[in-house]
Amino acid sequence: MVRSISSRRPATLASLAAELGVSRTTVSNAYNRPDQLSPELRQRVLEAARRVGYPGPDPVARSLRTRKAGALGLLLTENLSYAFRDPAAVSFLEGLALSCEAAGQGLLLVPANPEREDLAAVHRAGVDGFVVYSVPDDDPHLAAVLERPVPTVVCDQPSLPGVDTVGIDDGSAMTGMAEHLIGLGHRRVGVVCMRLGRDRNDAVASLDRQRSAHFHVQRARLVALAAAFEAVGVQWAQVPVVERFDHSVESGASATARILDLDPEITAVVCTSDILALGALEEARRRGLRVPQDLTVTGFDGIAEAERVGLTTVVQPVRDKGAEAGRLLREQPDHGRPRKIVLPTSLRTGGTAAPPRNSQERWFGP
């Protein structure tokens, strides 16, 4: 009786080598080291493999043997969709992916829901190293990454002793924005910021919460704003700083609404991201406020949509961050000392910032 196809024993590397009359190393090289074979021989091996149904070397067995997974892991403490929805995250991911392509490596996304611990996702990730993208210093997923015996690079936050980092000088960048607004004459301002901790706090952030934030990028930006405005006589404790857990246009709009309800005489809303600033612009339009005549709005990041609408913002090289993080993982130093890369930023003055309205001017609010 002829054995059915479904019952035929699967081809193995050894059986394929025997059929071709070559060594098992030759078959392995056809997949893993093609430069070791002539194009003709490699083609003969691959054609025979297709004919007998040999799927190629087992990647799990190969990784166990070589102790290399052939991929980098990106720890993103957000839902997976965030990596493809948030413009800054997309740009960062592009830079990291380009770095992986140059090295012939894969990229494994390791998302971790910010409101639910899933340390198993970190523990089971088969990667040769991790890039940690903007997480709080008390995040348990970060702790799980650092327990793994693989190199790690942190992008943006947190800053950790003994760990390579890539980022910008957030304090200096935000100081430049504050000085620009102060130079225009703004003293009555409100701030919309991204989340300051792992707990959901969609409310006004107290001074203590601002200064003890576990997201040190947000902390640095708020501290810089406070220092600059206090230097010209503004009492920062009286400045409404509204925090939003979700990073979205809708969050920026609702936070801006809260600020304007608290103090209708505010002349500028400073946002710690462009996404939040786009929401601030929407809320201004909803209220019939002219930007920048009635209300100045600023952002931070320099995403494409911000440029399209002419937002005054801090531009940072997000894609370069991803590329540099990948490079640091590839080029592990012999000395073991942590490396820190600080990339430049620039202030882009758009059409959403202007001197504050005079008190005699008509207020176009509702």
Side-chain angles (χ1 to χ4, degrees):
M1 179 181 292
V2 178
R3 182 181 294 174
S4 68
I5 294 176
S6 61
S7 64
R8 188 174 65 187
R9 294 179 62 185
T12 64
L13 183 147
S15 65
L16 178 59
E19 177 167 325
L20 288 168
V22 299
S23 69
R24 285 181 291 181
T25 299
T26 296
V27 175
S28 177
N29 284 343
Y31 290 90
N32 300 320
R33 303 179 65 189
D35 58 303
Q36 300 295 306
L37 305 181
S38 68
E40 295 77 17
L41 177 56
R42 181 170 187 263
Q43 186 63 28
R44 187 160 69 90
V45 171
L46 297 179
E47 287 178 354
R50 284 192 291 270
R51 186 175 67 252
V52 302
Y54 174 62
D58 183 348
V60 175
R62 180 176 181 273
S63 66
L64 290 173
R65 185 175 65 256
T66 63
R67 304 187 67 83
K68 291 290 184 182
L72 301 182
L74 172 61
L75 178 69
L76 181 75
T77 52
E78 298 284 350
N79 293 316
L80 182 60
S81 60
Y82 183 85
F84 303 96
R85 183 180 68 250
D86 181 83
V90 169
S91 186
F92 175 84
L93 190 59
E94 180 186 5
L96 182 57
L98 288 170
S99 180
C100 288
E101 287 176 7
Q105 291 178 308
L107 179 60
L108 176 66
L109 299 186
V110 187
N113 189 306
E115 297 183 282
R116 184 179 67 251
E117 292 185 15
D118 181 18
L119 304 186
V122 174
H123 294 151
R124 64 173 176 257
V127 296
D128 299 319
F130 279 99
V131 172
V132 175
Y133 181 50
S134 197
V135 305
D137 54 24
D138 63 343
D139 193 283
H141 305 94
L142 170 64
V145 164
L146 297 177
E147 290 172 356
R148 295 280 304 268
V150 295
T152 298
V153 174
V154 172
C155 184
D156 285 342
Q157 56 191 342
S159 179
L160 300 170
V163 179
D164 293 339
T165 59
V166 177
I168 62 172
D169 187 336
D170 288 276
S172 176
M174 191 57 97
T175 295
M177 175 63 78
E179 290 174 346
H180 176 64
L181 294 174
I182 290 168
L184 290 174
H186 292 281
R187 299 294 185 274
R188 204 153 182 175
V189 300
V191 180
V192 179
C193 71
M194 296 169 65
R195 72 177 75 136
L196 301 177
R198 291 195 296 135
D199 58 318
R200 183 176 285 274
N201 183 60
D202 291 321
V204 174
S206 66
L207 278 177
D208 181 65
R209 184 172 178 84
Q210 294 174 44
R211 292 166 180 169
S212 62
H214 288 285
F215 282 93
H216 90 249
V217 162
Q218 295 299 303
R219 183 173 72 237
R221 295 177 189 178
L222 292 176
V223 167
L225 284 171
F229 279 98
E230 285 178 340
V232 293
V234 175
Q235 295 185 8
W236 193 253
Q238 304 303 315
V239 173
V241 177
V242 178
E243 177 184 352
R244 285 295 180 262
F245 187 86
D246 295 322
H247 188 222
S248 66
V249 172
E250 294 76 17
S251 292
S254 67
T256 301
R258 177 68 173 146
I259 287 172
L260 294 175
D261 288 344
L262 288 170
D263 186 357
E265 297 303 315
I266 277 174
T267 62
V269 174
V270 185
C271 301
T272 64
S273 81
D274 286 347
I275 290 292
L276 296 176
L278 293 175
L281 292 175
E282 284 195 359
E283 178 61 19
R285 284 193 293 269
R286 190 187 73 79
R287 291 177 178 244
L289 302 178
R290 302 168 301 172
V291 175
Q293 295 94 329
D294 297 325
L295 186 68
T296 281
V297 175
T298 67
F300 200 111
D301 282 334
I303 64 174
E305 181 63 12
E307 183 175 13
R308 189 187 70 79
V309 301
L311 181 69
T312 293
T313 188
V314 172
V315 179
Q316 60 168 321
V318 183
R319 190 173 76 163
D320 291 347
K321 285 183 180 179
E324 286 297 308
R327 183 183 66 81
L328 286 185
L329 275 185
R330 291 199 315 270
E331 302 174 0
Q332 285 298 305
D334 296 330
H335 52 71
R337 292 190 296 273
R339 297 162 295 175
K340 183 175 184 178
I341 294 179
V342 180
L343 298 173
T345 62
S346 62
L347 176 65
R348 184 167 65 210
T349 55
T352 64
R357 62 188 181 279
N358 296 323
S359 58
Q360 293 79 15
E361 287 185 278
R362 177 186 173 192
W363 172 247
F364 282 79

